[in-house]
Amino acid sequence: TNEYDFTDKNQRLQLISKYLANILRKGSKNEQLHALDTISLLALSLNDGLDFFMKYFQNMLKSLIQRPKSAIVQIKAINTWAIMVWSFGDGGSKIATLKLFEYFWNYNLKEDDDDDDNDYYEDEDSDDDEEKEKNESDKKQQRASTEILTAAIDAWLFLITSIGDSSNIGSLLDTYCQSLLQLLRLESTTITEKIHIGKALTVLIDNYNDAIENDVDFQSQDVNLEAIMNEFNHLKSNSKQHRRKEFLNQKAKFRDYLKTLEHKWTPLIVIKLHHKQFELSGWNQWIQYHYIKNTLQNGLQAHLLQNIKIKETFNIEIDAEPIEISKTEKKSKKIENIENERKIKKDRWKRRDSKRGFIFDKNLIDQQSTTY
């Protein structure tokens, strides 16, 4: 592109950003959700001007995440910011964003610390009922909801899997292992939360094991993997309320996690584009593919064909085939569709009439009436 084209694009991007920012500040809940979807789509599509786009929305999105007025908007803002940071591709930005998402499970871990404090006060025979009720209400307020916590863990894991090779990812196991395991063991942690936490630990350990095997320079860490395996086995075989659907889901998920850790099993995705087949193997690509798929939804295939950023991430080498239809072809196609629709309706009427004729045969009714 020449200098004029770049300036023109930049001006349009500034104008679009201004309108989107205005919606995020003053729009209704639905308008904010649509604006966040648009920001995600632009972040995945932009090649020029993405740094400006990031800086423009950075404080605004962080405010929606940290000081939310709506939980739905907060979750969407978490997803949008993760997509923007992933698209920008800067390692420093990704690491900084990890801290932002960690805040939510660290918030829930406060509950465990509060329980220890309450045990101390119980020894002093404190029987103040009002204070107990206040402490319980404070605990509820301190806990992030299941939807927000799982969204934060998924966004965190999405960025983790994109920061480099298995050595880069595996080196983070020591940093996050203990806090994730502690969160997994909390009584208040729901089944859905446990599944997402288990997936995060599985990805970290899988990359760690791969780095140990294939990277000579990678140094082993002092991590209690046996404790994690024991917890996974417990959650896989936990027979409490085993008839409930959610417990069956927990059992199936942790069976897959253990299959990865014990037998090196990894998920496989097969993508078919223009009669060509591409395979994505391993947890890292599986996590990124499904996160992007969840963002783009029905637009995923078009991006897999045309979006260079996404094609490079998943090693898809295919030329997009532009579909150009002339006005005459469009007109003939429209006429053909109308005729097909008429034919379908006509056949439906014939079948309906024949059915009615069988049920309400006048001659048969007259014969029956004469016999009586």
Side-chain angles (χ1 to χ4, degrees):
T1 59
N2 57 38
E3 187 178 349
Y4 174 77
D5 290 335
F6 179 78
T7 306
D8 186 45
K9 284 181 182 178
N10 202 27
Q11 288 175 348
R12 276 183 290 167
L13 182 59
Q14 287 180 16
L15 187 62
I16 292 168
S17 300
K18 183 180 176 181
Y19 283 123
L20 289 171
N22 192 44
I23 292 170
L24 291 180
R25 290 192 193 100
K26 302 177 182 179
S28 66
K29 192 184 298 181
N30 286 334
E31 288 172 341
Q32 287 178 327
L33 293 174
H34 287 303
L36 289 168
D37 281 334
T38 306
I39 292 168
S40 296
L41 182 60
L42 284 169
L44 285 171
S45 307
L46 285 172
N47 289 320
D48 299 327
L50 186 55
D51 52 346
F52 158 77
F53 202 60
M54 281 273 296
K55 290 175 183 176
Y56 193 90
F57 286 103
Q58 181 175 359
N59 293 333
M60 207 173 300
L61 288 176
K62 286 183 177 180
S63 177
L64 290 174
I65 293 169
Q66 294 174 321
R67 295 180 292 278
K69 294 180 180 178
S70 164
I72 300 172
V73 175
Q74 183 185 24
I75 291 168
K76 182 67 75 173
I78 289 171
N79 298 337
T80 301
W81 184 239
I83 287 289
M84 290 184 76
V85 174
W86 181 88
S87 299
F88 190 54
D90 178 60
S93 299
K94 289 179 181 179
I95 296 297
T97 306
L98 294 180
K99 299 291 182 185
L100 176 65
F101 297 146
E102 289 165 39
Y103 167 80
F104 293 98
W105 73 66
N106 288 330
Y107 203 61
N108 282 14
L109 284 173
K110 287 180 182 178
E111 178 187 342
D112 193 40
D113 297 334
D114 290 343
D115 286 340
D116 295 338
D117 293 340
N118 288 339
D119 291 341
Y120 173 78
Y121 287 115
E122 281 175 9
D123 294 337
E124 296 184 356
D125 298 328
S126 175
D127 297 327
D128 192 348
D129 294 335
E130 291 182 4
E131 193 164 343
K132 282 184 181 179
E133 288 177 6
K134 185 182 178 183
N135 289 337
E136 286 176 4
S137 64
D138 288 344
K139 276 189 190 179
K140 288 178 182 178
Q141 289 175 0
Q142 286 176 357
R143 197 181 189 286
S145 69
T146 297
E147 294 78 12
I148 293 169
L149 181 62
T150 52
I153 291 172
D154 284 349
W156 175 87
L157 192 56
F158 172 59
L159 294 179
I160 282 276
T161 54
S162 68
I163 62 172
D165 57 13
S166 58
S167 298
N168 295 113
I169 301 168
S171 63
L172 297 173
L173 177 62
D174 185 36
T175 307
Y176 298 109
C177 175
Q178 190 57 39
S179 59
L180 287 171
L181 183 59
Q182 189 180 351
L183 188 63
L184 189 64
R185 287 172 169 170
L186 280 181
E187 289 184 10
S188 59
T189 303
T190 65
I191 291 172
T192 304
E193 292 168 0
K194 286 178 180 178
I195 290 170
H196 286 259
I197 296 163
K199 180 170 60 177
L201 281 167
T202 301
V203 171
L204 288 173
I205 296 170
D206 183 49
N207 280 279
Y208 174 79
N209 290 336
D210 186 69
I212 289 286
E213 290 181 12
N214 300 313
D215 189 352
V216 181
D217 298 326
F218 187 81
Q219 295 181 353
S220 61
Q221 299 173 349
D222 185 18
V223 180
N224 190 359
L225 294 179
E226 188 178 350
I228 297 171
M229 297 292 285
N230 291 338
E231 191 66 26
F232 277 23
N233 275 301
H234 170 70
L235 292 168
K236 184 199 76 170
S237 58
N238 189 0
S239 59
K240 285 184 180 179
Q241 299 171 307
H242 63 280
R243 293 179 184 274
R244 285 174 56 183
K245 184 179 178 181
E246 52 188 357
F247 277 93
L248 293 174
N249 189 30
Q250 172 185 294
K251 186 175 180 180
K253 293 293 184 184
F254 278 92
R255 190 191 301 127
D256 287 343
Y257 301 157
L258 284 167
K259 205 192 304 181
T260 294
L261 302 181
E262 294 175 346
H263 306 293
K264 299 181 182 179
W265 173 86
T266 54
L268 179 70
I269 299 169
V270 178
I271 300 172
K272 293 181 180 179
L273 297 168
H274 290 171
H275 308 291
K276 289 187 179 181
Q277 188 168 295
F278 302 92
E279 290 186 353
L280 308 181
S281 61
W283 280 104
N284 295 343
Q285 289 206 316
W286 189 92
I287 295 291
Q288 292 181 71
Y289 175 81
H290 280 284
Y291 203 91
I292 291 170
K293 181 182 178 182
N294 187 48
T295 301
L296 295 174
Q297 298 183 3
N298 294 333
L300 176 65
Q301 192 170 37
H303 280 264
L304 289 171
L305 286 168
Q306 299 176 351
N307 192 319
I308 298 171
K309 196 182 300 178
I310 293 175
K311 287 170 72 175
E312 287 179 352
T313 300
F314 300 121
N315 298 318
I316 294 174
E317 297 179 0
I318 189 171
D319 294 327
E321 298 176 7
I323 302 170
E324 294 181 1
I325 302 175
S326 62
K327 289 183 179 180
T328 309
E329 288 175 333
K330 283 182 181 178
K331 191 174 181 180
S332 60
K333 189 71 177 174
K334 188 176 181 180
I335 292 169
E336 186 182 343
N337 290 337
I338 292 170
E339 288 177 355
N340 287 336
E341 192 175 344
R342 282 177 181 170
K343 189 179 177 181
I344 290 168
K345 285 183 179 179
K346 195 173 181 182
D347 292 339
R348 192 182 298 149
W349 290 336
K350 282 182 180 179
R351 288 196 300 271
R352 192 179 298 160
D353 290 341
S354 62
K355 189 175 180 181
R356 284 177 178 172
F358 176 75
I359 297 171
F360 304 107
D361 193 337
K362 291 181 179 180
N363 295 326
L364 184 62
I365 293 170
D366 292 338
Q367 288 176 9
Q368 287 179 349
S369 62
T370 53
T371 55
Y372 290 111

